[in-house]
Amino acid sequence: MANERFENFVGVIYALNKEIGRIKTQKMTSLGLRGTDTMVLYYLAHADGDLAEADVARLMRQDRAAVTRIVSRLEAQGMVVRGHASGDAKARGSRYRAPVTLTAAGRKAAAELDQIIDDVVFEASADIGPQERERMYTWLTQVLESLERI
């Protein structure tokens, strides 16, 4: 006998993740970037100071190697610069600890990204009131915390 709660929960979470990925890919293409670049640019743009790749990976809950690949691609596109590339002696020992900074082009892309995010979030949540939204985030956070304890 199939577990309907499991099937419904996993199905909805998977579908949400798939749609978010599709939207990221679609919207980032308009900026000449990949969907996977979204959160790296977002976190760098909204950090108080520079972030190291390890910090970005932790914020994204992503593998450090995946973040390194994204940062390398963004660096090749002139969107970011790593601390070790700019001569930061303290950061030379580890690529993961080197501060990553947005360039002027990266800041421009991040500003455009912020507008895209605002538009998508507004459209996606237009039918959800503030109290419902707060309950949804509380519930999802509780589920996440429970899953992390397993």
Side-chain angles (χ1 to χ4, degrees), residues 44-85:
L44 290 174
H46 294 279
D48 291 331
D50 296 335
L51 291 175
E53 288 178 19
D55 298 325
V56 175
R58 187 173 52 261
L59 288 167
M60 291 175 60
R61 295 175 180 245
Q62 182 66 264
D63 179 77
R64 288 192 318 182
V67 171
T68 294
R69 288 189 296 275
I70 295 167
V71 170
S72 292
R73 190 174 55 254
L74 290 171
E75 187 175 39
Q77 291 179 278
M79 298 286 173
V80 301
V81 63
R82 288 184 172 108
H84 73 274

Coordinates of all heavy atoms in Angstrom, one line a residue, residues 44-85:
L44 N 26.0 36.9 -3.1 CA 27.1 37.9 -3.1 C 26.6 39.3 -3.1 O 27.1 40.2 -2.5 CB 27.9 37.7 -4.4 CG 28.8 36.4 -4.4 CD1 29.4 36.2 -5.8 CD2 29.8 36.4 -3.3
A45 N 25.5 39.6 -3.8 CA 24.9 40.9 -3.9 C 24.3 41.4 -2.5 O 24.3 42.6 -2.2 CB 23.8 41.0 -5.0
H46 N 23.8 40.4 -1.7 CA 23.1 40.8 -0.5 C 24.0 40.6 0.8 O 23.4 40.7 1.9 CB 21.8 40.1 -0.4 CG 20.9 40.6 -1.5 ND1 20.1 41.7 -1.4 CD2 20.6 40.1 -2.7 CE1 19.4 41.9 -2.5 NE2 19.7 40.9 -3.3
A47 N 25.2 40.2 0.6 CA 26.1 40.0 1.8 C 26.6 41.3 2.3 O 26.8 42.3 1.6 CB 27.3 39.1 1.3
D48 N 26.9 41.3 3.6 CA 27.6 42.4 4.2 C 29.1 42.1 4.0 O 29.7 41.4 4.8 CB 27.3 42.5 5.7 CG 25.8 42.9 5.9 OD1 25.3 43.7 5.1 OD2 25.3 42.5 7.0
G49 N 29.7 42.6 3.0 CA 31.1 42.4 2.6 C 31.2 41.2 1.7 O 30.2 40.6 1.3
D50 N 32.4 40.8 1.5 CA 32.6 39.6 0.6 C 32.3 38.3 1.2 O 32.3 38.2 2.5 CB 34.1 39.6 0.1 CG 34.5 40.8 -0.7 OD1 33.6 41.4 -1.3 OD2 35.7 41.2 -0.7
L51 N 32.0 37.3 0.4 CA 31.8 36.0 0.9 C 32.8 35.1 0.3 O 33.2 35.3 -0.9 CB 30.4 35.5 0.5 CG 29.2 36.1 1.2 CD1 27.9 35.6 0.6 CD2 29.2 35.9 2.7
A52 N 33.2 34.1 1.0 CA 34.1 33.0 0.4 C 33.2 32.0 -0.2 O 32.0 31.9 0.1 CB 34.9 32.4 1.5
E53 N 33.7 31.2 -1.1 CA 33.0 30.1 -1.8 C 32.4 29.2 -0.8 O 31.2 28.8 -0.9 CB 33.9 29.3 -2.7 CG 34.2 30.1 -4.0 CD 35.2 29.3 -4.9 OE1 35.2 28.0 -4.7 OE2 35.8 29.9 -5.7
A54 N 33.1 28.9 0.3 CA 32.6 28.0 1.3 C 31.3 28.6 2.0 O 30.4 27.9 2.3 CB 33.6 27.7 2.4
D55 N 31.3 30.0 2.2 CA 30.2 30.6 2.8 C 29.0 30.6 1.8 O 27.9 30.3 2.3 CB 30.5 32.1 3.0 CG 31.6 32.3 4.0 OD1 31.7 31.5 5.0 OD2 32.4 33.3 3.9
V56 N 29.2 30.8 0.6 CA 28.1 30.7 -0.4 C 27.6 29.3 -0.5 O 26.4 29.1 -0.5 CB 28.6 31.2 -1.8 CG1 27.5 31.0 -2.9 CG2 29.1 32.6 -1.8
A57 N 28.4 28.3 -0.5 CA 28.0 26.9 -0.5 C 27.1 26.6 0.7 O 26.1 25.9 0.6 CB 29.2 26.0 -0.6
R58 N 27.5 27.1 1.9 CA 26.7 26.9 3.1 C 25.4 27.6 3.0 O 24.3 27.0 3.3 CB 27.5 27.3 4.3 CG 26.9 27.0 5.6 CD 27.7 27.3 6.9 NE 28.2 28.7 6.9 CZ 29.4 29.1 6.5 NH1 30.3 28.2 6.1 NH2 29.8 30.4 6.6
L59 N 25.3 28.8 2.5 CA 24.1 29.5 2.4 C 23.1 28.8 1.4 O 21.9 28.8 1.6 CB 24.3 31.0 1.9 CG 25.0 31.9 3.0 CD1 25.5 33.2 2.3 CD2 23.9 32.2 4.1
M60 N 23.7 28.3 0.3 CA 22.9 27.7 -0.7 C 22.6 26.2 -0.3 O 21.8 25.6 -1.0 CB 23.7 27.6 -2.0 CG 23.9 29.0 -2.7 SD 24.9 29.0 -4.1 CE 24.0 27.8 -5.2
R61 N 23.2 25.7 0.7 CA 23.1 24.3 1.1 C 23.5 23.4 -0.2 O 22.8 22.5 -0.6 CB 21.7 23.9 1.5 CG 21.3 24.6 2.8 CD 19.9 24.4 3.2 NE 19.6 25.1 4.4 CZ 19.2 24.5 5.5 NH1 19.2 23.1 5.6 NH2 18.9 25.1 6.6
Q62 N 24.6 23.8 -0.7 CA 25.1 23.2 -2.0 C 26.5 22.7 -1.7 O 27.3 23.2 -0.9 CB 25.1 24.3 -3.1 CG 25.5 23.8 -4.4 CD 24.5 22.8 -5.0 OE1 24.8 21.6 -4.9 NE2 23.5 23.3 -5.6
D63 N 26.9 21.7 -2.5 CA 28.3 21.2 -2.5 C 29.3 22.3 -2.9 O 29.0 23.0 -3.8 CB 28.3 20.0 -3.5 CG 29.6 19.4 -3.6 OD1 30.0 18.6 -2.7 OD2 30.3 19.7 -4.6
R64 N 30.4 22.4 -2.1 CA 31.4 23.4 -2.4 C 32.0 23.3 -3.8 O 32.2 24.3 -4.5 CB 32.5 23.3 -1.4 CG 32.1 23.8 -0.1 CD 33.3 24.1 0.9 NE 34.3 23.0 0.9 CZ 35.4 23.0 1.7 NH1 35.5 24.0 2.5 NH2 36.2 22.1 1.6
A65 N 32.1 22.1 -4.3 CA 32.7 21.9 -5.7 C 31.7 22.5 -6.7 O 32.2 23.1 -7.7 CB 32.9 20.4 -6.0
A66 N 30.4 22.3 -6.5 CA 29.5 22.9 -7.4 C 29.5 24.4 -7.4 O 29.5 25.0 -8.5 CB 28.0 22.4 -7.1
V67 N 29.7 25.0 -6.2 CA 29.8 26.4 -6.1 C 31.1 26.9 -6.8 O 31.1 27.9 -7.5 CB 29.7 26.9 -4.7 CG1 30.0 28.4 -4.5 CG2 28.3 26.6 -4.1
T68 N 32.2 26.2 -6.6 CA 33.4 26.5 -7.2 C 33.3 26.5 -8.8 O 33.8 27.5 -9.4 CB 34.5 25.5 -6.8 OG1 34.8 25.7 -5.4 CG2 35.8 25.8 -7.6
R69 N 32.6 25.6 -9.3 CA 32.4 25.6 -10.8 C 31.6 26.8 -11.2 O 31.9 27.4 -12.2 CB 31.7 24.3 -11.2 CG 32.6 23.1 -11.2 CD 31.9 21.8 -11.8 NE 30.7 21.4 -11.1 CZ 30.7 20.6 -10.1 NH1 31.9 20.1 -9.6 NH2 29.6 20.2 -9.5
I70 N 30.5 27.1 -10.5 CA 29.7 28.3 -10.8 C 30.6 29.6 -10.7 O 30.5 30.4 -11.6 CB 28.5 28.4 -9.9 CG1 27.6 27.2 -10.1 CG2 27.7 29.7 -10.1 CD1 26.5 27.0 -9.0
V71 N 31.3 29.7 -9.6 CA 32.1 30.9 -9.4 C 33.2 31.0 -10.5 O 33.5 32.1 -11.1 CB 32.8 30.9 -8.0 CG1 33.8 32.0 -7.9 CG2 31.7 31.1 -7.0
S72 N 33.8 29.9 -10.9 CA 34.8 29.9 -12.0 C 34.2 30.4 -13.3 O 34.8 31.2 -14.0 CB 35.4 28.5 -12.2 OG 36.1 28.1 -11.0
R73 N 33.0 29.9 -13.6 CA 32.3 30.3 -14.8 C 32.0 31.8 -14.7 O 32.2 32.6 -15.7 CB 31.0 29.5 -15.0 CG 30.4 29.7 -16.4 CD 29.2 28.8 -16.6 NE 28.2 28.9 -15.6 CZ 27.9 27.9 -14.7 NH1 28.7 26.8 -14.7 NH2 27.0 28.1 -13.8
L74 N 31.5 32.3 -13.6 CA 31.1 33.7 -13.4 C 32.4 34.6 -13.5 O 32.4 35.7 -14.0 CB 30.4 33.9 -12.1 CG 29.0 33.4 -12.0 CD1 28.5 33.5 -10.6 CD2 28.1 34.1 -13.0
E75 N 33.5 34.0 -13.0 CA 34.8 34.8 -13.1 C 35.2 34.9 -14.5 O 35.7 35.9 -14.9 CB 35.8 34.0 -12.2 CG 37.2 34.8 -12.1 CD 38.1 34.1 -11.2 OE1 38.2 32.8 -11.2 OE2 38.8 34.8 -10.4
A76 N 35.1 33.8 -15.3 CA 35.4 33.8 -16.7 C 34.6 34.8 -17.5 O 35.0 35.4 -18.5 CB 35.3 32.4 -17.3
Q77 N 33.3 35.0 -17.0 CA 32.4 36.0 -17.7 C 32.6 37.4 -17.2 O 31.9 38.3 -17.6 CB 31.0 35.5 -17.4 CG 30.6 34.3 -18.2 CD 29.2 33.9 -17.9 OE1 28.9 33.3 -16.9 NE2 28.3 34.2 -18.8
G78 N 33.5 37.6 -16.2 CA 33.8 38.9 -15.7 C 32.7 39.4 -14.7 O 32.6 40.6 -14.4
M79 N 32.0 38.5 -14.1 CA 30.9 38.9 -13.1 C 31.5 38.9 -11.7 O 30.9 39.7 -10.9 CB 29.8 37.8 -13.2 CG 29.1 37.8 -14.5 SD 28.0 39.2 -14.6 CE 27.5 39.0 -16.3
V80 N 32.5 38.2 -11.4 CA 33.1 38.1 -10.1 C 34.6 38.1 -10.2 O 35.2 37.7 -11.2 CB 32.6 36.9 -9.2 CG1 31.1 36.9 -9.1 CG2 33.1 35.6 -9.8
V81 N 35.3 38.4 -9.1 CA 36.7 38.2 -9.0 C 37.0 37.6 -7.6 O 36.3 37.9 -6.6 CB 37.5 39.5 -9.1 CG1 37.1 40.5 -8.0 CG2 39.0 39.3 -9.2
R82 N 37.9 36.6 -7.6 CA 38.3 36.0 -6.3 C 39.4 36.7 -5.7 O 40.2 37.3 -6.4 CB 38.8 34.5 -6.6 CG 37.7 33.6 -7.0 CD 38.3 32.2 -7.2 NE 37.3 31.2 -7.4 CZ 37.1 30.6 -8.5 NH1 37.8 30.9 -9.6 NH2 36.2 29.6 -8.6
G83 N 39.4 36.7 -4.4 CA 40.5 37.4 -3.6 C 41.9 37.0 -4.0 O 42.7 37.9 -4.1
H84 N 42.1 35.7 -4.3 CA 43.4 35.3 -4.6 C 43.8 35.9 -6.0 O 45.0 36.1 -6.2 CB 43.6 33.8 -4.6 CG 42.9 33.1 -5.7 ND1 41.6 32.7 -5.6 CD2 43.4 32.7 -6.9 CE1 41.3 32.1 -6.8 NE2 42.3 32.1 -7.6
A85 N 42.8 36.1 -6.8 CA 43.1 36.7 -8.2 C 43.5 38.2 -8.0 O 44.2 38.7 -8.9 CB 41.9 36.5 -9.1

